[in-house]
Amino acid sequence: LGASILHDVDATNIRGSMAGQLVRDASSPPAIYDRIVWNFPCVARGLGAGMDGQNDEMEDNKTLVRCFADNTPPFLSSAGEVILTHKTKPPYNHWSLVEQVTQSGRLAYAGAVIFDRVCYPPYVNRKALDKKSFPCFDAQMYIFTAANNAATAAVHHALDKSDKETETEKEVAVDLPVE
């Protein structure tokens, strides 16, 4: 399938932490990916095993997601996507994932789909510290692309306009330029 799965990648320093995995050294060009996926990001520090630090560590988690979003564009192919999977019920919805990822303007929101882990056997979501599974029936996969992609910008604009009109989800049809 041509996929690479990397572990122990520092989301705030992708290039530096991949140096020993796919990037030969700091001066070599970065590896390019069609998709960069991070399921259920969490800082997971300073907590005892089994504790849920989503409320206490919310600002740290927002910062983590912003740093990740700022680090990913150099690693994306021209049609590449960044996918963040996360729960949507409180307190997770207070992370404002779309806002955090798009804040720097380097990535644009392209949409979201429901995450159904049965579509990814043998995937099991795990907490960062105690490695226990947790319910993810309310999770979504948030999809982002490079903001300089004309097609992405058109979709992003349409979604923003749609969000301002109503709080409900709706389908958006956009005429996209052919590249």
Side-chain angles (χ1 to χ4, degrees):
L1 296 174
S4 300
I5 299 174
L6 305 176
H7 299 276
D8 299 320
V9 174
D10 180 347
T12 64
N13 181 13
I14 295 171
R15 183 182 194 87
S17 62
M18 287 176 37
Q21 296 188 51
L22 291 181
V23 179
R24 290 183 301 276
D25 60 54
S27 65
S28 66
I32 301 298
Y33 300 95
D34 294 319
R35 282 180 194 77
I36 298 173
V37 180
W38 190 6
N39 292 331
F40 307 102
C42 178
V43 294
R45 64 172 178 244
L47 302 172
M51 292 181 66
D52 188 358
Q54 302 308 317
N55 286 319
D56 295 340
E57 309 257 343
M58 188 171 307
E59 293 308 313
D60 290 340
N61 281 311
K62 288 180 180 181
T63 299
L64 176 69
V65 169
R66 282 193 305 271
C67 288
F68 170 72
D70 288 347
N71 273 267
T72 56
F75 299 92
L76 288 177
S77 67
S78 61
E81 298 175 334
V82 171
I83 301 171
L84 279 174
T85 305
H86 217 289
K87 297 173 75 163
T88 58
K89 303 264 188 243
Y92 308 99
N93 61 331
H94 298 293
W95 286 30
S96 306
L97 274 179
V98 173
E99 179 183 324
Q100 303 311 315
V101 172
T102 59
Q103 186 174 24
S104 72
R106 298 187 75 191
L107 293 174
Y109 178 65
V113 295
I114 294 172
F115 174 75
D116 185 352
R117 79 174 190 184
V118 299
C119 293
Y120 307 98
Y123 178 77
V124 176
N125 51 303
R126 304 240 185 244
K127 291 184 178 183
L129 293 175
D130 65 9
K131 306 300 183 208
K132 291 182 180 175
S133 185
F134 56 89
C136 62
F137 59 87
D138 63 317
Q140 286 191 354
M141 298 170 69
Y142 297 88
I143 304 165
F144 304 89
T145 58
N148 59 2
N149 179 326
T152 298
V155 170
H156 182 59
H157 175 73
L159 288 170
D160 281 347
K161 184 178 176 184
S162 171
D163 288 346
K164 289 174 185 164
E165 291 174 0
T166 179
E167 292 296 319
T168 61
E169 292 183 35
K170 60 171 77 170
E171 292 184 10
V172 179
V174 181
D175 288 327
L176 300 176
V178 178
E179 296 184 340

